DNA sequence: TTGTAGGCGTTATCAG
DNA sequence: CTGATAACGCCTACAA
């Protein structure tokens, strides 16, 4: 099968009776062109249905008008929400997105390397991949524009949710409802990591202190990032002699596990034990879970702006920009009730 | 800021002391090269850290090694699952993905046009966009390789879930559980469309007939694709003189609305009224909803294979390939109980 | 303002 | 088997 010749800028030039430089100028709206010449070119473009080849433009201009995005676990709503923000913003800047789903460690490195070195993207957005992993990969190409969203990359700019503030908001909310004993069910960074960020714990302690509450170590537990993790942690906490009347969880899935533990104990969520989650996944609304919502799409959009600023030579002012989460109050958190089982 | 010169095939050639044609041959593994020459080239590549520019390759080869994907509503799990399949498969073929999220009608057309005409992708995968919309856009570039996933495109190949079979499985399941009166809560094609596919209704009728059940028209209702739609439809059906003892829904969200209606009526889901959904969203597992799972990732992966086959000149054998869903049984469907409220 | 000639980094063709 | 050389389609000085 013979590949049909593409319509090129040269065809347009001939059709319009001008030189091909002129066509280029009209299309890129750079230099000034006499209105009537311009008109002729535009008509020819229209008549021929011409669209410039991005490949050729990319080669000639030295930039691809494309951004690379590394997203972990396509199926997680939170990451997708970030990606959604990235997409919208990229579109308004007339940038395309090359997207890679990374579900395994080696994938991340391979994709990063590939995108960084084959010059097919002008810059790279890395969503929520572990710090060490990306920092290591990034070290090999320090000149390449990269921004991390919800992941910190040594030497590159990062956009991060302010988890200290997020947890602070949740715990302050519980304290204001009159809860005196508030447990924290924290989590590992991600399902395959042992790392625990200290931010949420700081937020928790800060809110407790402001409310004049004691924060016994035993009330702060770290579990696996899963329903099961939240479930067993809540069981343990609730079976204490002085059980907490409120549980602040580091994720919605853990919170849902915790809610189950509350119910299994014959207590009512909200009335007897308040529970808060983190992230505001779809399920959270369904089960009426009070939670903390991270401005995921905003971070994604900001990442694009930042990257594009970098292309024009402007280095970011700060290498770490924080985004404030906000509290979403639902039925799982209520005024501290009468029954404080002792 | 001065753009640093890229490492090119020419640098490698000089470093290895060969002509640049040879380097190209080594890299593309096409023609035969003497082993020792080959070795020298490879070493030079390694030393310089050279990676070929995809842009330049694209221009020269006339193909971009990139696929375009149009996916509606990033946030819907089902679409993402398809995309996930696409991504995995594309990766194994060494293809990159340019992804566009389409949330509005005009976006779809604009993106389609852009991707089809700027020669930045070798082919296009269209996920679940309305038939008329895409057919119209596709008519303008009939030569461009396109495959639709869960959407039918006139003249292009499509991969479709067999919804007739899916609904058939659900209803047969209910009939085998002993249900005599089975209601169908069908839906419009998508939230912004009035179209109703006839497939599910066919599956429903077929299963009913095989089981020797009558299928009164009043038992088949079409509602909006939402919880509310399912809820009100179930209310209506359950308040009939002869209420159905089982409800087969065309989506999980409708099913969840229906479950709510069952409970509001003081009945128990599963024990008194069985309910089935469609799609198997995350929530379905949480609420124990029996449902029909569409092989989303498989369809995505198949779309990539099909497209790549088309590149090598092989037209698809059939222009419509069906994928069989399968039943996922959970607690919301049980044996028809004693209490058939009359 | 407009046309022309190089160049962007590969691949492909064609002699040698 | 290998080395030049002409595309690929566009951009951008430079000259007119």
């Amino acid at each position: 099968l013979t590949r049909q010749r593409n319509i090129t800028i040269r065809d347009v030039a001939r059709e319009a009776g001008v030189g091909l430089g002129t066509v280029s100028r009209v299309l890129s709206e750079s230099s000034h062109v006499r209105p009537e010449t311009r008109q002729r070119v535009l008509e020819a473009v229209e008549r021929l249905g011409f669209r410039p080849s991005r490949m050729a433009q990319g080669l000639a201009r030295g930039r691809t008008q494309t951004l690379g995005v590394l997203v972990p676990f396509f199926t997680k709503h939170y990451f997708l929400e970030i990606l959604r923000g990235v997409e919208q913003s990229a579109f308004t800047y007339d940038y395309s997105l090359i997207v890679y789903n990374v579900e395994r460690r080696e994938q991340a490195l391979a994709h990063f390397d590939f995108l960084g070195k084959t010059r097919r993207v002008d810059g790279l957005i890395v969503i929520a991949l572990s710090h060490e992993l990306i920092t290591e990969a990034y070290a090999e190409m320090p000149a390449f524009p990269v921004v991390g969203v919800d992941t910190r990359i040594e030497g590159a700019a990062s956009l991060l949710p302010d988890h200290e503030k997020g947890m602070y908001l949740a715990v302050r909310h519980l304290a204001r409802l009159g809860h005196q004993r508030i447990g924290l069910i924290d989590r590992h960074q991600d399902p395959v990591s042992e790392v625990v960020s200290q931010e949420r714990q700081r937020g928790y302690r800060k809110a407790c202190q402001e409310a004049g509450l004691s924060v016994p170590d035993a009330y702060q537990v770290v579990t696996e990032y899963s329903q099961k993790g939240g479930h067993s942690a809540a069981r343990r906490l609730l079976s204490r002699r002085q059980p907490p009347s409120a549980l602040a969880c580091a994720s919605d899935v853990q919170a849902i596990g915790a809610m189950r533990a509350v119910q299994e104990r014959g207590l009512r969520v909200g009335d007897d034990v308040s529970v808060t989650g983190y992230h505001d996944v779809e399920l959270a609304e369904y089960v009426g879970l009070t939670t903390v919502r991270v401005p995921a799409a905003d971070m994604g959009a900001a990442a694009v702006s930042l990257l594009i600023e970098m292309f024009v030579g402007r280095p970011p002012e700060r290498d770490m920009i924080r985004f404030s989460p906000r509290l979403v109050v639902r039925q799982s958190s209520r005024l501290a009730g009468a029954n404080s089982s002792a």
Side-chain angles (χ1 to χ4, degrees), chain A residues 179 181 238 243-247 262-263 265-275 331-341:
Chain A
H179 292 280
R181 296 192 302 284
L238 292 174
S245 69
L247 299 170
V262 169
Q263 285 159 350
R265 220 179 158 71
L267 300 171
R268 287 160 306 172
V269 171
D271 293 319
D272 299 313
V273 179
S274 286
V275 176
Q331 301 92 288
S332 72
S333 60
R334 308 251 188 81
L335 284 173
N339 42 346
S340 35
S341 51

Side-chain angles (χ1 to χ4, degrees), chain A residues 70 73 100-115 129-130 133-134 136-137 192:
Chain A
L70 256 40
F73 300 101
Y100 278 102
N101 175 25
V102 3
E103 302 196 349
R104 289 195 314 279
R105 194 190 161 80
E106 326 81 71
Q107 280 181 353
L109 293 173
H111 289 152
F112 194 93
D113 181 74
F114 175 72
L115 287 174
L129 289 174
S130 93
L133 194 62
I134 289 307
E136 177 189 339
V192 295

